[in-house]
């Protein structure tokens, strides 16, 4: 593993879970580094979106940050707690409206995961509310969101309301923001950007209900696929934010070494063993997730596992630890983009991945090419992707996960 900065090491130490003496000792040791730059700690925390974890870890360890740093952390941590509690009520409101309209739906990541992994809504930062509905109910779900006061921001006005279902066939999600409360809803028609990565992750999978507040339970994915989904989601984003890795490590923190290995074998059987190996090795190296030594050696043995770990570190840490990538189509994310081709065996998966790079959703959704020339959409999309990656044009694409 390449050397990590003192600031990134401190952030990693605060992101260990569960609370306890091991985390306290790690935080105190990292905070005692004389080379530590507290302003850069704030920059890393912001970039990685782990305000609540850093504030919680420093407080538990009794580490006194400089006053301006402590104030920034305290304000953001309080905001996370308030926003999450408000979002829980909003999910209940939208869910009731979906139920009344006969829309099948599920809430995933975000609040249900915070409850399961951390036991509360105070430390995990959720950038949005993720809701999954069937593709054929997208128009009705969009109308419910409009009636609830939400306005669409992704895609932009270049895609008309009537074209959103077609857009979501290609991009899986649309983004909605409430102008009054500022909350964002990501409406999904499928869970994976590339369904071939984990085809089992769909509304038809086993589900359960989780209480996200004393008065609110929401439908969410069952435990059978949760770990596999989280590692597939994080890997497909290149783990370019540590927050996704923190969720996985926290979810596994109550498991012993045998149970962790069992989760890996289950993910392997579902075809996402490489994603799971990458996640477990990163969580072990950065967040001290305990692994059986023999099992760890097994995970590190394949060269492709070690390569995937290096790719993730190249876009998460180093010069990118405190520097935001320019966007989901940024050239700085090229290693992760190409690394996606390695996440699963099989030509079918790789073909779908290459096709997604040339998806050209705006042109396809708006029908810009004359009838009979639809075969040119991937050509135009691929050409634009190459131009974007070579710096010849600015890139715009849907957000890469909150």
């Amino acid at each position: 593993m390449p050397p990590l900065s003192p600031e990134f090491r401190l952030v990693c130490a605060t992101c260990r879970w569960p609370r306890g003496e091991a985390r306290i000792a790690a935080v105190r040791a990292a905070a005692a580094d004389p080379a530590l730059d507290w302003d850069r700690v704030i920059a890393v925390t912001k970039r990685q979106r782990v305000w609540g974890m850093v504030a919680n870890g420093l407080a538990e360890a009794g580490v006194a940050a400089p006053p301006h740093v402590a104030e920034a952390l305290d304000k953001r941590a309080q905001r996370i707690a308030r926003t999450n509690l408000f979002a829980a009520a909003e999910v209940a409101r939208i869910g009731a409206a979906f139920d009344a309209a006969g829309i099948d739906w599920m809430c995933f990541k975000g609040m249900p995961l915070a409850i399961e992994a951390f036991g509360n809504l105070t430390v995990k930062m959720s950038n949005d509310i993720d809701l999954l509905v069937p593709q054929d109910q997208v128009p009705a779900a969009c109308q419910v969101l409009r009636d609830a006061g939400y306005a669409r921001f992704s895609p932009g006005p270049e895609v008309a309301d009537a074209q959103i279902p077609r857009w979501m066939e290609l991009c899986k999600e649309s983004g909605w923001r409430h102008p009054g409360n500022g909350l964002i809803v990501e409406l999904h028609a499928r869970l994976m950007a590339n369904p071939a990565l984990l085809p089992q992750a769909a509304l038809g999978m086993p589900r359960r209900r989780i209480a996200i507040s004393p008065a609110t339970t929401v439908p969410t994915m069952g435990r059978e696929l949760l770990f596999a989904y989280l590692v597939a989601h994080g890997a497909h984003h290149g783990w370019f934010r540590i927050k996704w890795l923190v969720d996985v490590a926290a979810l596994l923190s109550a498991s012993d070494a045998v149970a962790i290995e069992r989760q890996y074998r289950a993910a392997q059987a579902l075809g996402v063993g490489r994603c799971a190996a990458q996640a477990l090795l990163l969580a072990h190296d950065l967040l001290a997730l305990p692994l059986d030594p023999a099992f760890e050696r097994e995970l590190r043995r394949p060269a492709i596992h070690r390569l995937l770990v290096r790719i993730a570190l190249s876009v998460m840490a180093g010069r990118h630890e405190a520097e935001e990538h320019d966007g989901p189509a940024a050239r700085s994310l090229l290693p992760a983009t190409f690394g996606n081709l390695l996440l699963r065996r099989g030509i079918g998966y790789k073909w779908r991945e290459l096709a997604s790079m040339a998806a050209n959703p705006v042109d396809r959704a708006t029908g810009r090419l004359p009838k009979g020339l639809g075969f040119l959409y991937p050509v135009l999309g691929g050409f634009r992707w190459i131009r974007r990656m070579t710096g010849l044009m600015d890139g715009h694409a849907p957000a890469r996960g909150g």
Side-chain angles (χ1 to χ4, degrees), residues 216-383:
T216 305
T217 64
V218 297
T220 191
M221 64 176 59
R223 289 187 179 89
E224 297 87 347
L225 277 178
L226 182 57
F227 173 75
Y229 166 72
L230 291 176
V231 298
H233 170 270
H236 202 256
H237 287 76
W239 301 104
F240 79 93
R241 293 192 206 282
I242 200 173
K243 63 170 289 188
W244 296 312
L245 192 65
V246 173
D247 292 341
V248 172
L251 186 69
L252 294 176
S253 63
S255 302
D256 60 19
V258 173
I260 291 174
E261 183 174 348
R262 189 182 305 123
Q263 290 273 26
Y264 169 74
R265 303 296 178 200
Q268 198 175 33
L270 291 168
V272 291
R274 292 177 178 178
C275 303
Q278 182 191 35
L280 292 174
L281 290 172
L282 286 167
H284 174 76
D285 294 346
L286 300 179
L287 304 173
L289 179 72
L291 299 176
D292 177 80
F295 178 51
E296 181 193 347
R297 288 193 297 272
E298 176 190 339
L299 293 181
R300 291 195 194 278
R301 193 171 299 123
I304 199 162
H305 291 179
R306 301 194 300 272
L307 174 60
L308 287 170
V309 168
R310 290 197 299 272
I311 288 173
L313 289 172
S314 75
V315 295
M316 177 201 299
R319 71 185 185 92
H320 293 298
E321 67 178 21
E323 173 188 317
E324 190 66 74
H325 295 277
D326 293 334
R331 277 177 289 165
S332 56
L333 284 169
L334 263 178
T337 300
F338 287 119
N340 285 348
L341 294 169
L342 307 175
L343 295 179
R344 182 164 182 153
R345 295 182 176 87
I347 191 64
Y349 164 74
K350 292 173 173 57
W351 176 253
R352 290 289 295 270
E353 194 63 30
L354 289 170
S356 71
M357 297 179 190
N360 201 358
V362 172
D363 284 351
R364 284 177 179 265
T366 55
R368 288 184 179 175
L369 288 178
K371 190 174 181 180
L373 296 180
F375 66 92
L376 291 176
Y377 283 128
V379 177
L380 291 174
F383 177 68

Side-chain angles (χ1 to χ4, degrees), residues 88-279:
E90 193 68 354
V91 169
R93 183 173 78 98
I94 295 171
F98 279 172
D99 290 339
I103 297 171
D104 191 15
W105 66 284
M106 182 181 80
C107 182
F108 63 103
K109 293 192 299 181
M111 289 167 288
L113 180 57
I115 293 295
E116 184 149 19
F118 303 100
N120 60 69
L121 296 178
T122 63
V123 296
K124 174 176 165 56
M125 180 177 177
S126 296
N127 200 43
D128 43 51
I129 298 169
D130 291 286
L131 302 175
L132 176 68
V133 300
Q135 179 67 46
D136 62 357
Q137 293 187 312
V138 164
C142 290
Q143 188 58 53
V144 167
L145 290 176
R146 291 189 197 96
D147 293 343
Y150 285 80
R152 174 169 54 85
F153 68 88
S154 175
E158 69 274 10
V159 177
D161 285 351
Q163 296 163 337
I164 292 301
R166 176 58 175 155
W167 164 273
M168 289 179 63
E169 288 178 7
L170 301 162
C171 282
K172 87 176 175 68
E173 66 196 24
S174 56
W176 303 74
R177 181 182 288 108
H178 196 292
N181 58 41
L183 285 177
I184 292 174
V185 169
E186 282 196 353
L187 184 67
H188 297 251
R190 63 178 186 270
L191 286 172
M192 305 303 305
N194 181 348
L197 180 57
L198 186 63
Q200 299 88 348
L203 265 174
M205 66 184 173
R207 283 183 267 175
R208 60 201 160 116
R209 297 189 74 91
I210 283 186
I212 59 173
S213 75
T216 305
T217 64
V218 297
T220 191
M221 64 176 59
R223 289 187 179 89
E224 297 87 347
L225 277 178
L226 182 57
F227 173 75
Y229 166 72
L230 291 176
V231 298
H233 170 270
H236 202 256
H237 287 76
W239 301 104
F240 79 93
R241 293 192 206 282
I242 200 173
K243 63 170 289 188
W244 296 312
L245 192 65
V246 173
D247 292 341
V248 172
L251 186 69
L252 294 176
S253 63
S255 302
D256 60 19
V258 173
I260 291 174
E261 183 174 348
R262 189 182 305 123
Q263 290 273 26
Y264 169 74
R265 303 296 178 200
Q268 198 175 33
L270 291 168
V272 291
R274 292 177 178 178
C275 303
Q278 182 191 35

